[in-house]
Amino acid sequence: MLSSLRLLASLVCLLPLGLIAAEEDDLPDGNGKETFVQMCANCHALKRVVKIRYPKKFWESVVDDMVSRGAEGTEEEAAVVISYLSRNFGKPLNINQATAKQIQAGLSFSPAHSELIVRYRTEHGDFKSFEDLQKIEGLSAKLLDEQKNNIKF
Ligand code: HEC
């Protein structure tokens, strides 16, 4: 009797871990995945977090909000989670149709860098591929890489 109770108790304890592991398998791999799971899986399903794609600005405010609700992590870990979510669940933007303001709001480039993208487009014509964007001098390669999945042509 006692041992079956113990078995039941340990099964109940393991259940959430099993659910988290199953959810983890569905998430895209890459830098930040582990930190995301560690920081965000305690209170609600991760599936609920990633059901919609949002711009980076939104992910920043969500993570801020979650920290105020008790999500635990350093500032660095929060930045890693924001980057992971932005890379994999960012909102796509057509880089040939967007204004500088929309590039800034949608992809989190600085105002000056957003202008740089529009100026390059005006001078050289529509971007055809990600490589075209990499030719723009002065853009942050790190941010460009983070936003790669969100840039449409
Ligand atoms: C300490 C508990 C806790 C942790 C850890 C936590 N959250 Fe939350 N989260 C909440 C609560 C509470 C709500 C809002 C109440 C609700 O609807 O359940 C919420 C809601 C959300 C929502 C809105 C979901 C919806 O269905 O509308 C998102 C998105 C979200 N959290 C993202 C995150 C992210 C990203 C992390 C990791 C950085 C995280 N959460 C970690 C407590 C937490």
Side-chain angles (χ1 to χ4, degrees):
M1 179 65 198
L2 194 64
S3 68
S4 62
L5 262 184
R6 234 182 248 147
L7 183 68
L8 188 66
S10 59
L11 275 179
V12 169
C13 286
L14 285 173
L15 194 63
L17 284 180
L19 285 177
I20 290 171
E23 277 207 283
E24 229 181 295
D25 293 341
D26 291 339
L27 290 170
D29 287 329
N31 192 24
K33 177 173 171 175
E34 275 173 28
T35 316
F36 172 52
V37 174
Q38 175 197 315
M39 202 170 165
C40 305
N42 280 351
C43 304
H44 45 61
L46 292 171
K47 251 201 324 250
R48 250 184 82 184
V49 177
V50 297
K51 63 183 178 201
I52 308 180
R53 302 183 64 159
Y54 294 111
K56 182 173 187 180
K57 266 183 201 308
F58 183 88
W59 286 123
E60 282 168 346
S61 64
V62 167
V63 172
D64 248 19
D65 183 30
M66 292 304 135
V67 168
S68 73
R69 288 173 192 260
E72 286 175 25
T74 62
E75 250 176 60
E76 260 170 24
E77 284 166 336
V80 167
V81 171
I82 290 165
S83 189
Y84 174 79
L85 290 169
S86 307
R87 174 186 295 272
N88 297 293
F89 303 98
K91 193 169 179 185
L93 182 85
N94 187 312
I95 200 74
N96 289 318
Q97 287 166 6
T99 62
K101 276 225 152 56
Q102 287 167 334
I103 294 171
Q104 188 191 334
L107 304 176
S108 283
F109 282 100
S110 69
H113 286 180
S114 304
E115 295 284 355
L116 215 57
I117 293 173
V118 171
R119 191 171 339 133
Y120 192 93
R121 191 180 68 198
T122 313
E123 285 169 8
H124 295 83
D126 279 2
F127 297 108
K128 296 201 174 52
S129 65
F130 187 71
E131 286 67 37
D132 285 346
L133 283 153
Q134 288 175 312
K135 291 179 195 154
I136 306 176
E137 255 174 66
L139 281 193
S140 152
K142 198 170 161 220
L143 183 56
L144 202 52
D145 184 58
E146 179 193 280
Q147 295 296 328
K148 188 174 182 178
N149 292 338
N150 308 321
I151 298 173
K152 303 289 165 217
F153 299 92

